[in-house]
Amino acid sequence: MLTPFDKQRRLQTSKDFLELVGDNIDKICDRIVTVDETWVRQYDPESKQESMQWTKKGERPPKKFKIQKSASKLMATIFWDCEGVLLIDYLPKGTTMNGQYYSNLLAQARKAVVQKRRGKLSRGVLFLQDNASVHRARVSRQALKNTGFSEIDHPPYSPDLAPSDYFLFSNLKKELRGRRFVDDNQMKMAVESHFDCKGILFGRFEGVIHQM
């Protein structure tokens, strides 16, 4: 349900990015850092497809009871690039994600780039974020400017430009779904363990980008 203006903006954004890339897709992909937020629950039941079981011909499948998601959850903000995760922040319970909080995260993300990606900052970081109101707040805009990152335009309603949604979070949720965690600390350990073991996963993602 895009308006003519939305369509034109998406077209122009794509043209601008193609012009930026030129013949240097490897160098451009290496410079991109992206961020997004997601809820992580202490228990998220498997989907119907994930819980399907093989049965013999004529055998009735086992009965399954509807299970609710746990009320206990944390908001995770993840900064990452084609090499892996740079920073994970868990919003403290009772805290609101606002412009000032996000500004502090941007400063931490810059430090993470300096510490974990030697030379990336000097090559010029291309920063991709969605249009959430906290990202567009004045204090957030100033904080982003202070990092020295160059922002890539992200027009509204562009899931194809939000790799966290179709790649990072989907793989994370798939692994965590169906597992029960006794507390938030155990849940955090599971999240971080997932990313620590996924070097190949990010290499595969980079290969997908090269084919697009």
Side-chain angles (χ1 to χ4, degrees):
M1 302 294 288
L2 297 176
T3 66
F5 175 78
D6 290 332
K7 293 177 181 178
Q8 183 58 42
R9 184 177 171 191
R10 290 190 67 177
L11 177 63
Q12 188 59 51
T13 296
S14 299
K15 287 182 176 179
D16 291 344
F17 187 69
L18 286 172
E19 184 177 346
L20 172 68
V21 170
D23 296 326
N24 300 313
I25 184 66
D26 292 325
K27 292 181 179 179
I28 295 301
C29 287
D30 181 61
R31 291 171 57 192
I32 294 175
V33 170
T34 189
V35 63
D36 211 340
E37 301 86 15
T38 190
W39 288 106
V40 183
R41 296 177 181 272
Q42 284 191 10
Y43 179 69
D44 189 5
E46 291 181 322
S47 65
K48 288 184 178 180
Q49 184 176 7
E50 290 171 333
S51 62
M52 290 175 66
Q53 298 179 18
W54 288 101
T55 59
K56 296 179 180 179
K57 186 176 181 180
E59 184 180 55
R60 298 185 64 180
K63 290 184 178 180
K64 295 182 180 179
F65 297 92
K66 186 175 181 180
I67 303 176
Q68 299 294 330
K69 298 178 179 180
S70 67
S72 182
K73 60 183 182 180
L74 286 176
M75 177 180 282
T77 301
I78 304 179
F79 293 80
W80 61 290
D81 63 5
C82 63
E83 295 183 56
V85 168
L86 287 159
L87 173 70
I88 305 177
D89 175 81
Y90 302 95
L91 185 70
K93 291 183 177 179
T95 304
T96 301
M97 173 63 80
N98 54 30
Q100 187 58 60
Y101 190 95
Y102 184 66
S103 297
N104 293 334
L105 291 185
L106 287 171
Q108 293 178 46
R110 186 185 188 280
K111 291 180 181 178
V113 170
V114 172
Q115 294 171 0
K116 299 180 179 180
R117 304 289 187 265
R118 184 176 180 181
K120 192 181 190 82
L121 193 64
S122 62
R123 292 193 298 272
V125 171
L126 300 173
F127 190 65
L128 177 63
Q129 61 180 355
D130 63 24
N131 294 291
S133 57
V134 68
H135 298 165
R136 316 312 299 179
R138 182 179 299 178
V139 64
S140 300
R141 305 302 303 169
Q142 183 58 49
L144 180 58
K145 185 177 180 180
N146 293 342
T147 63
F149 298 169
S150 298
E151 187 175 10
I152 300 175
D153 189 29
H154 185 288
Y157 316 111
S158 296
D160 53 322
L161 297 180
S164 297
D165 289 333
Y166 69 77
F167 174 75
L168 190 81
F169 294 154
S170 61
N171 282 287
L172 172 64
K173 299 295 180 65
K174 184 177 180 180
E175 180 168 315
L176 299 184
R177 202 170 288 127
R179 298 170 59 183
R180 292 184 182 274
F181 304 106
V182 297
D183 55 28
D184 289 345
N185 287 332
Q186 190 180 73
M187 182 172 59
K188 292 177 184 178
M189 289 176 62
V191 171
E192 286 155 23
S193 176
H194 167 81
F195 292 123
D196 287 343
C197 300
K198 291 296 183 289
I200 296 176
L201 189 82
F202 287 93
R204 190 175 303 144
F205 172 65
E206 187 176 12
V208 170
I209 291 178
H210 288 189
Q211 296 172 22
M212 291 176 64

